[in-house]
Amino acid sequence: MKIVVGENSGFCAGVNHTVRKALELVKSHNGIYCLGEIVHNENVIRNLEDSGMITVADLIDVPDYSSVIFRAHGETKDIYELASSKHLKVYDLVCGKVQSIRRRIQEHVGKDFIIILGKKNHPETGSHFSYAGHDAFIIESLEDIPLAISKVNESSFHSIYVVAQTTFSTSLFQDILHHLKSSYVGEIICDNTICNATEMRQREVFKLASQVDKMIIIGGKNSSNTKELYNIAKSELDDVYLIQSADSLLIDDFSSSDTIGIMGGASTPDFIIDEVIDKLNSYFRV
């Protein structure tokens, strides 16, 4: 068996910063809350909770005057306002790239109709949308374009400003942008805000899938970027396995003659990737 691990596999810089800062905060506080999943990886969350972090689904569940962590994906505008009204000490660990997109959106509010390319149920997309004002629309797929154009035409704006969720599909971004340009006669101002790490990881998994017999994609079940890596690999290769950890790796799916490609999502820590490799090594003596 031969194992090839993607060079861009595992934590991106933003997630690494968020997890490191969260651990520092947990160690320095006698109980600190986190609103939602700090990153989309159950192992990372469990380790932080074992150290004392308390994850809550609703800010209402955080007692007034407490300390709370806001996750890497960012929060909606009303959540910041609620935190202020509850006199919470907020440690905002939003990814710097996400924060930059938020600022860009606010600069275009009232000037252009804002279109956000992203998963409609993803917290990052929801955060961006909350800052975009009333004249905004989320496009998740090509099927959303006709309604988006209709909304633009109903507005008083003659230009569109386009941004994207940091972990959005690069190929789908280009497809949607092409169809927008062919469907709308006005000006389209576009910021490709997909994270560079996301683009490099997607390009690499596409290339790697064409060079191996089987692929293992490692990441949290709620991780948008991990699912996208799986979809890209699956477009090139039949035998692709999406797992969260070594425990969910089924050895019977592999043989000693396989060449295996491995890629971890942006929220997957190195130790989980290493455990998967060690499990394969222990069975097949690589």
Side-chain angles (χ1 to χ4, degrees), residues 214-284:
K214 297 174 182 178
M215 281 285 297
I216 299 172
I217 309 296
I218 311 169
K221 63 182 180 182
N222 294 324
S223 170
S224 178
N225 80 86
T226 300
K227 290 176 183 175
E228 183 59 31
L229 294 177
Y230 172 81
N231 291 335
I232 292 171
K234 196 68 178 172
S235 71
E236 287 294 299
L237 190 65
D238 289 333
D239 295 320
V240 183
Y241 305 91
L242 177 59
I243 64 173
Q244 294 190 72
S245 66
D247 291 339
S248 51
L249 179 70
L250 300 178
I251 289 297
D252 289 344
D253 291 328
F254 305 93
S255 70
S256 59
S257 62
D258 287 333
T259 297
I260 308 296
I262 293 179
M263 181 67 76
S267 301
T268 305
D270 288 342
F271 79 86
I272 293 179
I273 298 171
D274 291 340
E275 287 174 355
V276 171
I277 295 170
D278 289 344
K279 186 171 182 177
L280 289 169
N281 284 341
S282 67
Y283 276 86
F284 298 106

Side-chain angles (χ1 to χ4, degrees), residues 78-122:
D78 62 301
I79 290 296
Y80 287 93
E81 293 168 353
L82 179 57
S84 178
S85 71
K86 288 171 64 64
H87 306 285
L88 300 179
K89 172 62 177 176
V90 173
Y91 293 94
D92 194 354
L93 302 189
V94 60
C95 168
K97 181 76 172 180
V98 174
Q99 207 167 34
S100 172
I101 298 170
R102 182 193 300 168
R103 287 195 297 267
R104 295 186 198 187
I105 287 172
Q106 289 175 293
E107 290 172 0
H108 286 267
V109 172
K111 299 178 182 177
D112 313 288
F113 191 95
I114 297 171
I115 289 180
I116 301 164
L117 309 189
K119 298 290 185 181
K120 294 174 184 176
N121 62 348
H122 194 280

Side-chain angles (χ1 to χ4, degrees), residues 177-240:
L177 188 60
H178 172 76
H179 281 80
L180 280 175
K181 288 179 177 179
S182 63
S183 303
Y184 182 65
V185 296
E187 181 184 12
I188 296 178
I189 306 161
C190 179
D191 269 343
N192 183 348
T193 51
I194 297 173
C195 181
N196 290 338
T198 296
E199 291 193 56
M200 289 190 294
R201 194 178 284 106
Q202 290 179 3
R203 284 199 299 268
E204 186 176 19
V205 80
F206 181 81
K207 181 179 179 180
L208 189 56
S210 67
Q211 300 172 342
V212 298
D213 301 312
K214 297 174 182 178
M215 281 285 297
I216 299 172
I217 309 296
I218 311 169
K221 63 182 180 182
N222 294 324
S223 170
S224 178
N225 80 86
T226 300
K227 290 176 183 175
E228 183 59 31
L229 294 177
Y230 172 81
N231 291 335
I232 292 171
K234 196 68 178 172
S235 71
E236 287 294 299
L237 190 65
D238 289 333
D239 295 320
V240 183

